[in-house]
Amino acid sequence: EVRLVESGGGLVQPGGSLRLSCLVSGVTLNEYSIGWVHQAPGKGLEWISAISWNGLNTNYVDSVKGRFTISRDDAKNTVYLQMNSLKAEDAGVYYCGARRAAMGWVVAPDASDFSGWGQGTQVTVSS
């Protein structure tokens, strides 16, 4: 059973940076694609970014392209989301989810393409 634990959130000023981490356990990480989703206050889950099981494919929602970078370190069982140039609309809770490699890579996913969400990590963007 896949278990995911998000961390790295916090309070940052507009224009600042944060690096979120998703620690994966219970499975072999290189058998899973990992995706990040964002939940703004009072809204549903919005898919943000994903990285394939082999690290060769990444994708991003248009609103974060050029600002966010997803990466993975299988030796540490961790997937990262580097967030730069943060904006007020980036605030909310961020969750990571997993998708088995056998299910294939989705070019334009949404939150429902991933599962096993952790407890999330809160990001606050405020001056």
Side-chain angles (χ1 to χ4, degrees):
E1 179 185 358
V2 62
R3 293 184 294 275
L4 306 168
V5 178
E6 303 90 343
S7 63
L11 172 63
V12 63
Q13 293 184 342
S17 297
L18 284 173
R19 188 177 78 160
L20 306 185
S21 298
C22 173
L23 178 63
V24 183
S25 61
V27 296
T28 302
L29 180 55
N30 62 16
E31 295 179 355
Y32 286 81
S33 296
I34 300 296
W36 284 94
V37 298
H38 168 232
Q39 187 169 33
K43 297 189 176 181
L45 296 178
E46 176 193 27
W47 169 79
I48 293 295
S49 179
I51 187 165
S52 62
W53 59 92
N54 54 13
L56 295 181
N57 295 296
T58 60
N59 50 13
Y60 302 89
V61 69
D62 285 347
S63 61
V64 307
K65 285 181 179 177
R67 300 190 297 123
F68 290 11
T69 303
I70 191 170
S71 61
R72 60 190 294 153
D73 185 340
D74 288 357
K76 295 183 178 180
N77 293 323
T78 302
V79 173
Y80 303 100
L81 185 67
Q82 177 67 43
M83 307 190 299
N84 298 328
S85 302
L86 282 162
K87 304 176 181 179
E89 53 263 43
D90 296 321
V93 181
Y94 285 76
Y95 302 89
C96 57
R99 177 181 175 89
R100 292 182 64 91
M103 297 175 66
W105 175 249
V106 180
V107 174
D110 60 32
S112 65
D113 291 305
F114 300 89
S115 61
W117 312 110
Q119 83 292 343
T121 187
Q122 177 75 47
V123 172
T124 302
V125 183
S126 175
S127 55

